[in-house]
Amino acid sequence: MDTKTLMEWSGKYHTPNYGRTPICLVRGDGLRVWDSDGREYLDFTSGIAVTSLGHCHPRVTGAIQEAAATLLHVSNIFHTAPQIHLAKLLCEHSFADRVFFGNSGAEANEAAIKLARKYAKERFASDRFEIIATRNSFHGRTLATVSATGQEKYQHGFEPLVPGFKHVPYNDLRAMERAMDSRTAAILVEPLQGEGGVYVPDDDYLPGLRKLCDETGALLILDEIQTGMGRTGRLWAYEHAGVEPDIMTLAKALANGVPIGAMLARDEVARALSPGTHGSTFGGTPFVSSVALATLTTMIEEGIPERAAKMGRHVMQALGRMRARQPAIREVRGRGLLIGIELDRGAAPVVDACRDAGLLVLTAGDRVVRLAPALIATEADCDRALEILEQALSRVVS
Ligand SMILES: Cc1ncc(COP(=O)(O)O)c(C=O)c1O
């Protein structure tokens, strides 16, 4: 099938909700992908921070093949060993005691929102259901998670939104403190805002939120859907802050591209989800759990978060030098291999120019170019990507 016909059919048969890049990708290997015309690209998007071990990693592909030939699905009315092993591994390597599995980030956040409401109502009072999130955040596209998201552009047209969410500026402890009252069930934040523009909060922000929660009994929910699984240079981004949440949500990189979501919680909190109160048909199938087990085990055994930290430092230093040469770069922000380059203009033309030159990158907000390569990226991959990026920037600016 030729690319032109595929594009025509896409325009005709898809709902038009995605602003898609006009290429059709057919194959991937490590940090490289190929389109239907045989063009090769260096992929610094990794499916938006999903394929963190790279495309078709042998251990992930092996797990997929073995699990597909063993047992795909049986329903959560039965136990399966891969799901038990995965929950155990996640708990052994995080603050959490218990795990609920779903299929996406939004679904993981839905579970967190429901758990926070149920826990607060049972433990405190029936009108304690509010969740305070932050402006510029991103938590998903379902009705509750879009209501939690602090960006009107994602909410517009879908009103009435789900009640019970308030938004305060990110990285502002005083605003959070002022917004909290006897109805506050939880605070929901990203440890580092990804989609909204790659904003890293001050060092005292997460510890400050932890303290506010401890003083009031509100739960601290960290959305680590984008920042988790080594992306920021630690397995979980909260480790940078030295405090632990009560609930954490994961998805994206957890099974390196096979759909999965997870909500992790402390035992006392998780117990509010008594039998029958929540569920998901596909959540944590033996198939996806086997793939996630292979992904997480590989990450831990091969020191992938540490590699991301080291490569992130290399890229940030190089971008610092590039900024001195390129006045269109306003600021460079990020942690590990989640990096935002804020421009003095719209980022989309730079992203397009990079693609034309064989590099795939993302935007985050209107003016930020976001880099989120697989965490196995080498120095040579990063140097090549930065070279293409600088040439693209020069071309767009001139
Ligand atoms: C921080 C964060 N939360 C939630 C989501 C939603 O995840 P999903 O698209 O898997 O529902 C995303 C997706 O980009 C995200 O970055």
Side-chain angles (χ1 to χ4, degrees):
M1 183 62 56
D2 66 285
T3 306
K4 189 165 165 283
T5 308
L6 285 171
M7 299 289 128
E8 272 168 24
W9 287 1
S10 171
K12 186 169 172 207
Y13 294 114
H14 281 138
T15 54
N17 52 306
Y18 295 111
R20 289 185 209 259
T21 305
I23 56 175
C24 184
L25 298 175
V26 294
R27 190 164 72 82
D29 182 13
L31 266 89
R32 266 132 194 106
V33 286
W34 287 265
D35 73 12
S36 47
D37 294 326
R39 266 202 84 190
E40 181 182 316
Y41 301 86
L42 185 54
D43 182 8
F44 265 52
T45 68
S46 62
I48 318 189
V50 169
T51 53
S52 285
L53 293 178
H55 297 286
C56 301
H57 187 286
R59 286 179 74 171
V60 176
T61 303
I64 289 172
Q65 287 168 337
E66 197 185 324
T70 307
L71 187 67
L72 268 189
H73 174 81
V74 289
S75 151
N76 280 307
I77 58 173
F78 303 106
H79 294 283
T80 68
Q83 192 185 112
I84 296 166
H85 285 304
L86 178 60
K88 181 169 177 281
L89 192 65
L90 282 166
C91 291
E92 284 168 355
H93 287 274
S94 73
F95 74 97
D97 304 306
R98 293 178 181 272
V99 186
F100 167 81
F101 292 108
N103 309 283
S104 66
E107 224 187 299
N109 281 338
E110 286 272 346
I113 292 162
K114 285 179 71 178
L115 173 57
R117 283 189 175 190
K118 194 151 188 306
Y119 174 81
K121 282 183 186 183
E122 281 174 8
R123 174 133 194 243
F124 300 106
S126 61
D127 66 345
R128 190 158 176 165
F129 60 85
E130 252 178 19
I131 294 180
I132 310 183
T134 58
R135 294 202 191 124
N136 206 38
S137 57
F138 187 81
H139 298 296
R141 304 283 200 151
T142 60
L143 205 49
T145 58
V146 96
S147 305
T149 291
Q151 300 189 62
E152 269 172 35
K153 68 177 177 189
Y154 294 117
Q155 299 169 337
H156 185 67
F158 300 114
E159 301 87 350
L161 299 175
V162 173
F165 293 96
K166 272 199 233 171
H167 295 93
V168 297
Y170 190 62
N171 197 26
D172 187 338
L173 283 172
R174 288 196 149 210
M176 185 62 81
E177 190 175 2
R178 275 198 300 271
M180 291 176 81
D181 58 29
S182 60
R183 301 202 320 172
T184 308
I187 290 173
L188 166 62
V189 294
E190 296 154 86
L192 179 169
Q193 283 189 336
E195 213 70 23
V198 190
Y199 289 101
V200 185
D202 296 337
D203 288 346
D204 65 351
Y205 186 55
L206 292 186
L209 294 182
R210 178 70 272 172
K211 190 159 169 276
L212 287 175
C213 287
D214 291 343
E215 285 164 3
T216 60
L219 297 177
L220 179 60
I221 307 173
L222 290 183
D223 177 339
E224 291 239 23
I225 286 161
Q226 187 156 163
T227 56
M229 296 295 288
R231 174 61 48 192
T232 68
R234 306 292 289 262
L235 191 55
W236 319 117
Y238 70 73
E239 294 175 53
H240 295 284
V243 292
E244 294 180 340
D246 301 296
I247 299 176
M248 170 170 80
T249 51
L250 301 176
K252 288 192 180 279
L254 181 51
N256 209 52
V258 179
I260 186 168
M263 182 204 58
L264 288 70
R266 285 197 295 109
D267 181 49
E268 185 237 346
V269 177
R271 282 179 184 279
L273 285 188
S274 48
T277 53
H278 194 56
S280 165
T281 295
F282 292 120
T285 61
F287 175 74
V288 73
S289 297
S290 301
V291 183
L293 256 180
T295 305
L296 185 56
T297 307
T298 305
M299 288 218 163
I300 294 165
E301 284 178 4
E302 297 188 7
I304 298 293
E306 293 78 12
R307 279 181 69 168
K310 186 162 168 254
M311 210 48 64
R313 281 194 295 274
H314 174 75
V315 175
M316 288 295 273
Q317 281 163 8
L319 282 169
R321 293 191 294 274
M322 193 191 297
R323 185 173 167 229
R325 296 188 295 268
Q326 298 283 348
I329 300 179
R330 282 248 172 94
E331 198 182 11
V332 180
R333 304 187 285 263
R335 203 161 239 170
L337 284 173
L338 181 55
I339 295 173
I341 305 153
E342 185 169 332
L343 306 177
D344 63 357
R345 63 198 70 212
V350 178
V351 171
D352 290 346
C354 285
R355 185 189 64 241
D356 292 346
L359 171 69
L360 303 181
V361 293
L362 298 158
T363 56
D366 292 337
R367 290 171 175 246
V368 177
V369 175
R370 180 174 26 156
L371 308 181
L375 308 182
I376 57 161
T378 62
E379 223 169 270
D381 293 326
C382 293
D383 292 346
R384 178 72 190 128
L386 293 174
E387 193 184 331
I388 299 175
L389 174 68
E390 185 160 16
Q391 284 164 4
L393 190 58
S394 302
R395 213 167 316 131
V396 169
V397 168
S398 64

PDB file of all heavy atoms in Angstrom, residues 48 103-109 137-142 145 149 190 192-195 223-227 249 251-252 260 370, ligand 1:
ATOM      1  N   ILE A  48       6.058   8.971  23.058  1.00  0.00           N
ATOM      2  CA  ILE A  48       5.796   9.862  24.202  1.00  0.00           C
ATOM      3  C   ILE A  48       6.160   9.155  25.514  1.00  0.00           C
ATOM      4  O   ILE A  48       5.299   8.835  26.340  1.00  0.00           O
ATOM      5  CB  ILE A  48       4.364  10.453  24.229  1.00  0.00           C
ATOM      6  CG1 ILE A  48       3.909  10.896  22.824  1.00  0.00           C
ATOM      7  CG2 ILE A  48       4.302  11.618  25.217  1.00  0.00           C
ATOM      8  CD1 ILE A  48       2.607  11.671  22.790  1.00  0.00           C
ATOM      9  N   ASN A 103      -5.390  -0.225  32.185  1.00  0.00           N
ATOM     10  CA  ASN A 103      -4.849  -0.314  30.823  1.00  0.00           C
ATOM     11  C   ASN A 103      -4.214   0.955  30.282  1.00  0.00           C
ATOM     12  O   ASN A 103      -3.721   0.959  29.165  1.00  0.00           O
ATOM     13  CB  ASN A 103      -5.972  -0.703  29.855  1.00  0.00           C
ATOM     14  CG  ASN A 103      -6.707  -1.910  30.341  1.00  0.00           C
ATOM     15  OD1 ASN A 103      -6.211  -3.018  30.208  1.00  0.00           O
ATOM     16  ND2 ASN A 103      -7.865  -1.710  30.952  1.00  0.00           N
ATOM     17  N   SER A 104      -4.277   2.041  31.023  1.00  0.00           N
ATOM     18  CA  SER A 104      -3.770   3.310  30.496  1.00  0.00           C
ATOM     19  C   SER A 104      -3.482   4.236  31.671  1.00  0.00           C
ATOM     20  O   SER A 104      -3.869   3.950  32.815  1.00  0.00           O
ATOM     21  CB  SER A 104      -4.813   3.972  29.594  1.00  0.00           C
ATOM     22  OG  SER A 104      -5.938   4.358  30.376  1.00  0.00           O
ATOM     23  N   GLY A 105      -2.861   5.367  31.338  1.00  0.00           N
ATOM     24  CA  GLY A 105      -2.586   6.346  32.370  1.00  0.00           C
ATOM     25  C   GLY A 105      -3.868   6.926  32.933  1.00  0.00           C
ATOM     26  O   GLY A 105      -4.028   7.063  34.153  1.00  0.00           O
ATOM     27  N   ALA A 106      -4.781   7.278  32.041  1.00  0.00           N
ATOM     28  CA  ALA A 106      -6.040   7.867  32.501  1.00  0.00           C
ATOM     29  C   ALA A 106      -6.757   6.918  33.448  1.00  0.00           C
ATOM     30  O   ALA A 106      -7.292   7.338  34.487  1.00  0.00           O
ATOM     31  CB  ALA A 106      -6.931   8.205  31.304  1.00  0.00           C
ATOM     32  N   GLU A 107      -6.722   5.641  33.115  1.00  0.00           N
ATOM     33  CA  GLU A 107      -7.419   4.664  33.952  1.00  0.00           C
ATOM     34  C   GLU A 107      -6.734   4.505  35.315  1.00  0.00           C
ATOM     35  O   GLU A 107      -7.402   4.269  36.333  1.00  0.00           O
ATOM     36  CB  GLU A 107      -7.438   3.320  33.228  1.00  0.00           C
ATOM     37  CG  GLU A 107      -8.768   2.631  33.297  1.00  0.00           C
ATOM     38  CD  GLU A 107      -8.682   1.250  32.707  1.00  0.00           C
ATOM     39  OE1 GLU A 107      -8.364   1.142  31.509  1.00  0.00           O
ATOM     40  OE2 GLU A 107      -8.921   0.289  33.444  1.00  0.00           O
ATOM     41  N   ALA A 108      -5.404   4.626  35.314  1.00  0.00           N
ATOM     42  CA  ALA A 108      -4.674   4.569  36.592  1.00  0.00           C
ATOM     43  C   ALA A 108      -5.073   5.776  37.448  1.00  0.00           C
ATOM     44  O   ALA A 108      -5.311   5.650  38.653  1.00  0.00           O
ATOM     45  CB  ALA A 108      -3.170   4.568  36.333  1.00  0.00           C
ATOM     46  N   ASN A 109      -5.170   6.964  36.813  1.00  0.00           N
ATOM     47  CA  ASN A 109      -5.571   8.156  37.574  1.00  0.00           C
ATOM     48  C   ASN A 109      -7.023   8.076  38.028  1.00  0.00           C
ATOM     49  O   ASN A 109      -7.369   8.541  39.109  1.00  0.00           O
ATOM     50  CB  ASN A 109      -5.332   9.418  36.735  1.00  0.00           C
ATOM     51  CG  ASN A 109      -3.867   9.832  36.751  1.00  0.00           C
ATOM     52  OD1 ASN A 109      -3.125   9.465  37.659  1.00  0.00           O
ATOM     53  ND2 ASN A 109      -3.451  10.597  35.751  1.00  0.00           N
ATOM     54  N   SER A 137      -1.357  21.185  34.370  1.00  0.00           N
ATOM     55  CA  SER A 137      -1.070  19.759  34.516  1.00  0.00           C
ATOM     56  C   SER A 137      -1.712  18.967  33.385  1.00  0.00           C
ATOM     57  O   SER A 137      -2.529  19.491  32.621  1.00  0.00           O
ATOM     58  CB  SER A 137      -1.634  19.265  35.856  1.00  0.00           C
ATOM     59  OG  SER A 137      -3.029  19.526  35.918  1.00  0.00           O
ATOM     60  N   PHE A 138      -1.353  17.692  33.322  1.00  0.00           N
ATOM     61  CA  PHE A 138      -2.040  16.776  32.401  1.00  0.00           C
ATOM     62  C   PHE A 138      -2.226  15.440  33.103  1.00  0.00           C
ATOM     63  O   PHE A 138      -1.265  14.833  33.566  1.00  0.00           O
ATOM     64  CB  PHE A 138      -1.248  16.581  31.103  1.00  0.00           C
ATOM     65  CG  PHE A 138      -2.020  15.776  30.092  1.00  0.00           C
ATOM     66  CD1 PHE A 138      -2.987  16.379  29.299  1.00  0.00           C
ATOM     67  CD2 PHE A 138      -1.817  14.414  29.964  1.00  0.00           C
ATOM     68  CE1 PHE A 138      -3.735  15.636  28.398  1.00  0.00           C
ATOM     69  CE2 PHE A 138      -2.567  13.663  29.058  1.00  0.00           C
ATOM     70  CZ  PHE A 138      -3.522  14.274  28.271  1.00  0.00           C
ATOM     71  N   HIS A 139      -3.483  14.987  33.173  1.00  0.00           N
ATOM     72  CA  HIS A 139      -3.751  13.725  33.864  1.00  0.00           C
ATOM     73  C   HIS A 139      -4.558  12.736  33.038  1.00  0.00           C
ATOM     74  O   HIS A 139      -4.894  11.663  33.537  1.00  0.00           O
ATOM     75  CB  HIS A 139      -4.447  14.001  35.195  1.00  0.00           C
ATOM     76  CG  HIS A 139      -3.615  14.808  36.145  1.00  0.00           C
ATOM     77  ND1 HIS A 139      -2.419  14.341  36.661  1.00  0.00           N
ATOM     78  CD2 HIS A 139      -3.765  16.071  36.635  1.00  0.00           C
ATOM     79  CE1 HIS A 139      -1.887  15.273  37.448  1.00  0.00           C
ATOM     80  NE2 HIS A 139      -2.675  16.328  37.445  1.00  0.00           N
ATOM     81  N   GLY A 140      -4.917  13.093  31.791  1.00  0.00           N
ATOM     82  CA  GLY A 140      -5.627  12.127  30.950  1.00  0.00           C
ATOM     83  C   GLY A 140      -6.843  12.723  30.282  1.00  0.00           C
ATOM     84  O   GLY A 140      -7.152  13.911  30.455  1.00  0.00           O
ATOM     85  N   ARG A 141      -7.539  11.879  29.518  1.00  0.00           N
ATOM     86  CA  ARG A 141      -8.633  12.358  28.656  1.00  0.00           C
ATOM     87  C   ARG A 141     -10.004  11.803  29.018  1.00  0.00           C
ATOM     88  O   ARG A 141     -10.969  12.109  28.323  1.00  0.00           O
ATOM     89  CB  ARG A 141      -8.340  11.955  27.214  1.00  0.00           C
ATOM     90  CG  ARG A 141      -7.009  12.442  26.681  1.00  0.00           C
ATOM     91  CD  ARG A 141      -7.061  13.903  26.315  1.00  0.00           C
ATOM     92  NE  ARG A 141      -5.971  14.200  25.404  1.00  0.00           N
ATOM     93  CZ  ARG A 141      -6.001  15.145  24.480  1.00  0.00           C
ATOM     94  NH1 ARG A 141      -7.071  15.893  24.349  1.00  0.00           N
ATOM     95  NH2 ARG A 141      -4.974  15.349  23.702  1.00  0.00           N
ATOM     96  N   THR A 142     -10.093  10.939  30.018  1.00  0.00           N
ATOM     97  CA  THR A 142     -11.435  10.517  30.428  1.00  0.00           C
ATOM     98  C   THR A 142     -12.083  11.705  31.133  1.00  0.00           C
ATOM     99  O   THR A 142     -11.407  12.682  31.469  1.00  0.00           O
ATOM    100  CB  THR A 142     -11.366   9.323  31.399  1.00  0.00           C
ATOM    101  OG1 THR A 142     -10.623   9.729  32.548  1.00  0.00           O
ATOM    102  CG2 THR A 142     -10.702   8.111  30.753  1.00  0.00           C
ATOM    103  N   THR A 145     -10.448  12.500  34.531  1.00  0.00           N
ATOM    104  CA  THR A 145      -9.039  12.919  34.459  1.00  0.00           C
ATOM    105  C   THR A 145      -8.876  14.212  33.669  1.00  0.00           C
ATOM    106  O   THR A 145      -7.964  14.993  33.931  1.00  0.00           O
ATOM    107  CB  THR A 145      -8.136  11.808  33.874  1.00  0.00           C
ATOM    108  OG1 THR A 145      -8.600  11.445  32.574  1.00  0.00           O
ATOM    109  CG2 THR A 145      -8.116  10.590  34.765  1.00  0.00           C
ATOM    110  N   THR A 149      -7.224  17.606  34.998  1.00  0.00           N
ATOM    111  CA  THR A 149      -6.204  18.295  34.205  1.00  0.00           C
ATOM    112  C   THR A 149      -6.402  19.806  34.301  1.00  0.00           C
ATOM    113  O   THR A 149      -7.516  20.297  34.148  1.00  0.00           O
ATOM    114  CB  THR A 149      -6.306  17.819  32.731  1.00  0.00           C
ATOM    115  OG1 THR A 149      -5.873  16.461  32.675  1.00  0.00           O
ATOM    116  CG2 THR A 149      -5.439  18.646  31.795  1.00  0.00           C
ATOM    117  N   GLU A 190       1.944  16.051  39.219  1.00  0.00           N
ATOM    118  CA  GLU A 190       3.058  15.383  38.559  1.00  0.00           C
ATOM    119  C   GLU A 190       4.331  15.845  39.286  1.00  0.00           C
ATOM    120  O   GLU A 190       4.475  17.043  39.557  1.00  0.00           O
ATOM    121  CB  GLU A 190       3.158  15.814  37.100  1.00  0.00           C
ATOM    122  CG  GLU A 190       1.970  15.426  36.238  1.00  0.00           C
ATOM    123  CD  GLU A 190       1.817  16.368  35.044  1.00  0.00           C
ATOM    124  OE1 GLU A 190       2.462  16.121  34.008  1.00  0.00           O
ATOM    125  OE2 GLU A 190       1.063  17.353  35.148  1.00  0.00           O
ATOM    126  N   LEU A 192       7.033  16.328  38.095  1.00  0.00           N
ATOM    127  CA  LEU A 192       7.636  17.242  37.117  1.00  0.00           C
ATOM    128  C   LEU A 192       6.584  17.324  36.010  1.00  0.00           C
ATOM    129  O   LEU A 192       6.148  16.289  35.523  1.00  0.00           O
ATOM    130  CB  LEU A 192       8.922  16.579  36.625  1.00  0.00           C
ATOM    131  CG  LEU A 192       9.860  17.162  35.598  1.00  0.00           C
ATOM    132  CD1 LEU A 192      11.154  16.356  35.577  1.00  0.00           C
ATOM    133  CD2 LEU A 192       9.281  17.167  34.206  1.00  0.00           C
ATOM    134  N   GLN A 193       6.129  18.520  35.682  1.00  0.00           N
ATOM    135  CA  GLN A 193       5.066  18.601  34.666  1.00  0.00           C
ATOM    136  C   GLN A 193       5.641  18.298  33.285  1.00  0.00           C
ATOM    137  O   GLN A 193       6.545  18.996  32.818  1.00  0.00           O
ATOM    138  CB  GLN A 193       4.426  19.988  34.675  1.00  0.00           C
ATOM    139  CG  GLN A 193       3.460  20.173  35.835  1.00  0.00           C
ATOM    140  CD  GLN A 193       2.658  21.462  35.719  1.00  0.00           C
ATOM    141  OE1 GLN A 193       3.081  22.413  35.069  1.00  0.00           O
ATOM    142  NE2 GLN A 193       1.512  21.492  36.367  1.00  0.00           N
ATOM    143  N   GLY A 194       5.102  17.264  32.640  1.00  0.00           N
ATOM    144  CA  GLY A 194       5.627  16.861  31.334  1.00  0.00           C
ATOM    145  C   GLY A 194       4.931  17.562  30.186  1.00  0.00           C
ATOM    146  O   GLY A 194       5.444  18.509  29.580  1.00  0.00           O
ATOM    147  N   GLU A 195       3.692  17.100  29.927  1.00  0.00           N
ATOM    148  CA  GLU A 195       2.890  17.600  28.800  1.00  0.00           C
ATOM    149  C   GLU A 195       2.747  19.126  28.816  1.00  0.00           C
ATOM    150  O   GLU A 195       2.744  19.780  27.785  1.00  0.00           O
ATOM    151  CB  GLU A 195       1.490  16.961  28.929  1.00  0.00           C
ATOM    152  CG  GLU A 195       0.795  16.680  27.639  1.00  0.00           C
ATOM    153  CD  GLU A 195       1.441  15.547  26.874  1.00  0.00           C
ATOM    154  OE1 GLU A 195       2.124  14.701  27.475  1.00  0.00           O
ATOM    155  OE2 GLU A 195       1.289  15.545  25.640  1.00  0.00           O
ATOM    156  N   ASP A 223       1.314  11.579  40.081  1.00  0.00           N
ATOM    157  CA  ASP A 223       1.108  11.042  38.733  1.00  0.00           C
ATOM    158  C   ASP A 223       2.490  10.889  38.100  1.00  0.00           C
ATOM    159  O   ASP A 223       3.094  11.850  37.643  1.00  0.00           O
ATOM    160  CB  ASP A 223       0.227  12.026  37.941  1.00  0.00           C
ATOM    161  CG  ASP A 223       0.011  11.580  36.497  1.00  0.00           C
ATOM    162  OD1 ASP A 223       0.815  10.769  36.002  1.00  0.00           O
ATOM    163  OD2 ASP A 223      -0.940  12.068  35.857  1.00  0.00           O
ATOM    164  N   GLU A 224       2.983   9.646  38.110  1.00  0.00           N
ATOM    165  CA  GLU A 224       4.315   9.357  37.546  1.00  0.00           C
ATOM    166  C   GLU A 224       4.161   8.620  36.210  1.00  0.00           C
ATOM    167  O   GLU A 224       5.021   7.824  35.826  1.00  0.00           O
ATOM    168  CB  GLU A 224       5.150   8.538  38.534  1.00  0.00           C
ATOM    169  CG  GLU A 224       5.561   9.324  39.769  1.00  0.00           C
ATOM    170  CD  GLU A 224       7.087   9.405  39.952  1.00  0.00           C
ATOM    171  OE1 GLU A 224       7.824   9.260  38.952  1.00  0.00           O
ATOM    172  OE2 GLU A 224       7.511   9.625  41.093  1.00  0.00           O
ATOM    173  N   ILE A 225       3.055   8.892  35.549  1.00  0.00           N
ATOM    174  CA  ILE A 225       2.778   8.204  34.287  1.00  0.00           C
ATOM    175  C   ILE A 225       3.850   8.515  33.251  1.00  0.00           C
ATOM    176  O   ILE A 225       4.294   7.633  32.515  1.00  0.00           O
ATOM    177  CB  ILE A 225       1.350   8.566  33.838  1.00  0.00           C
ATOM    178  CG1 ILE A 225       0.362   7.817  34.735  1.00  0.00           C
ATOM    179  CG2 ILE A 225       1.111   8.272  32.355  1.00  0.00           C
ATOM    180  CD1 ILE A 225      -1.035   8.350  34.751  1.00  0.00           C
ATOM    181  N   GLN A 226       4.297   9.760  33.227  1.00  0.00           N
ATOM    182  CA  GLN A 226       5.356  10.140  32.288  1.00  0.00           C
ATOM    183  C   GLN A 226       6.740  10.100  32.957  1.00  0.00           C
ATOM    184  O   GLN A 226       7.736   9.776  32.320  1.00  0.00           O
ATOM    185  CB  GLN A 226       5.085  11.551  31.737  1.00  0.00           C
ATOM    186  CG  GLN A 226       6.032  11.950  30.644  1.00  0.00           C
ATOM    187  CD  GLN A 226       5.485  13.011  29.702  1.00  0.00           C
ATOM    188  OE1 GLN A 226       6.235  13.632  28.984  1.00  0.00           O
ATOM    189  NE2 GLN A 226       4.191  13.217  29.668  1.00  0.00           N
ATOM    190  N   THR A 227       6.808  10.423  34.244  1.00  0.00           N
ATOM    191  CA  THR A 227       8.114  10.564  34.900  1.00  0.00           C
ATOM    192  C   THR A 227       8.640   9.257  35.478  1.00  0.00           C
ATOM    193  O   THR A 227       9.830   9.169  35.790  1.00  0.00           O
ATOM    194  CB  THR A 227       8.012  11.577  36.060  1.00  0.00           C
ATOM    195  OG1 THR A 227       6.980  11.135  36.966  1.00  0.00           O
ATOM    196  CG2 THR A 227       7.691  12.967  35.563  1.00  0.00           C
ATOM    197  N   THR A 249       0.616   6.778  40.320  1.00  0.00           N
ATOM    198  CA  THR A 249       0.066   6.169  39.112  1.00  0.00           C
ATOM    199  C   THR A 249       1.152   6.016  38.052  1.00  0.00           C
ATOM    200  O   THR A 249       2.025   6.866  37.899  1.00  0.00           O
ATOM    201  CB  THR A 249      -1.101   7.004  38.554  1.00  0.00           C
ATOM    202  OG1 THR A 249      -0.694   8.374  38.437  1.00  0.00           O
ATOM    203  CG2 THR A 249      -2.308   6.917  39.455  1.00  0.00           C
ATOM    204  N   ALA A 251       1.981   4.201  33.904  1.00  0.00           N
ATOM    205  CA  ALA A 251       1.459   3.621  32.648  1.00  0.00           C
ATOM    206  C   ALA A 251       2.625   3.620  31.659  1.00  0.00           C
ATOM    207  O   ALA A 251       3.647   2.994  31.919  1.00  0.00           O
ATOM    208  CB  ALA A 251       0.267   4.413  32.119  1.00  0.00           C
ATOM    209  N   LYS A 252       2.469   4.368  30.579  1.00  0.00           N
ATOM    210  CA  LYS A 252       3.486   4.588  29.550  1.00  0.00           C
ATOM    211  C   LYS A 252       4.571   3.503  29.452  1.00  0.00           C
ATOM    212  O   LYS A 252       4.403   2.511  28.775  1.00  0.00           O
ATOM    213  CB  LYS A 252       4.085   5.979  29.727  1.00  0.00           C
ATOM    214  CG  LYS A 252       3.078   7.091  29.316  1.00  0.00           C
ATOM    215  CD  LYS A 252       3.768   8.415  29.211  1.00  0.00           C
ATOM    216  CE  LYS A 252       2.823   9.541  28.805  1.00  0.00           C
ATOM    217  NZ  LYS A 252       2.562   9.605  27.385  1.00  0.00           N
ATOM    218  N   ILE A 260      -0.792  -0.671  29.455  1.00  0.00           N
ATOM    219  CA  ILE A 260      -0.946  -1.044  30.865  1.00  0.00           C
ATOM    220  C   ILE A 260      -1.040   0.247  31.686  1.00  0.00           C
ATOM    221  O   ILE A 260      -0.486   1.278  31.294  1.00  0.00           O
ATOM    222  CB  ILE A 260       0.242  -1.905  31.361  1.00  0.00           C
ATOM    223  CG1 ILE A 260       0.008  -2.406  32.786  1.00  0.00           C
ATOM    224  CG2 ILE A 260       1.563  -1.146  31.257  1.00  0.00           C
ATOM    225  CD1 ILE A 260       0.988  -3.496  33.242  1.00  0.00           C
ATOM    226  N   ARG A 370      10.141  19.087  23.120  1.00  0.00           N
ATOM    227  CA  ARG A 370      10.394  18.103  24.188  1.00  0.00           C
ATOM    228  C   ARG A 370      11.198  16.921  23.645  1.00  0.00           C
ATOM    229  O   ARG A 370      10.847  16.367  22.600  1.00  0.00           O
ATOM    230  CB  ARG A 370       9.053  17.620  24.752  1.00  0.00           C
ATOM    231  CG  ARG A 370       9.177  16.601  25.851  1.00  0.00           C
ATOM    232  CD  ARG A 370       7.835  16.244  26.503  1.00  0.00           C
ATOM    233  NE  ARG A 370       6.667  16.427  25.663  1.00  0.00           N
ATOM    234  CZ  ARG A 370       5.509  15.788  25.829  1.00  0.00           C
ATOM    235  NH1 ARG A 370       5.362  14.921  26.809  1.00  0.00           N
ATOM    236  NH2 ARG A 370       4.488  16.013  25.032  1.00  0.00           N
TER     237      ARG A 370
HETATM  238  C1  LIG B   1       1.388  12.837  33.472  1.00  0.00           C
HETATM  239  C2  LIG B   1       0.383  12.095  32.634  1.00  0.00           C
HETATM  240  N1  LIG B   1      -0.726  11.620  33.207  1.00  0.00           N
HETATM  241  C3  LIG B   1      -1.653  10.954  32.508  1.00  0.00           C
HETATM  242  C4  LIG B   1      -1.509  10.721  31.167  1.00  0.00           C
HETATM  243  C5  LIG B   1      -2.576   9.987  30.413  1.00  0.00           C
HETATM  244  O1  LIG B   1      -2.118   8.725  30.035  1.00  0.00           O
HETATM  245  P1  LIG B   1      -2.905   7.897  28.906  1.00  0.00           P
HETATM  246  O2  LIG B   1      -2.775   8.635  27.640  1.00  0.00           O
HETATM  247  O3  LIG B   1      -2.203   6.551  28.900  1.00  0.00           O
HETATM  248  O4  LIG B   1      -4.314   7.778  29.360  1.00  0.00           O
HETATM  249  C6  LIG B   1      -0.367  11.211  30.509  1.00  0.00           C
HETATM  250  C7  LIG B   1      -0.204  11.036  29.061  1.00  0.00           C
HETATM  251  O5  LIG B   1       0.539  11.736  28.403  1.00  0.00           O
HETATM  252  C8  LIG B   1       0.603  11.916  31.260  1.00  0.00           C
HETATM  253  O6  LIG B   1       1.701  12.418  30.694  1.00  0.00           O
END
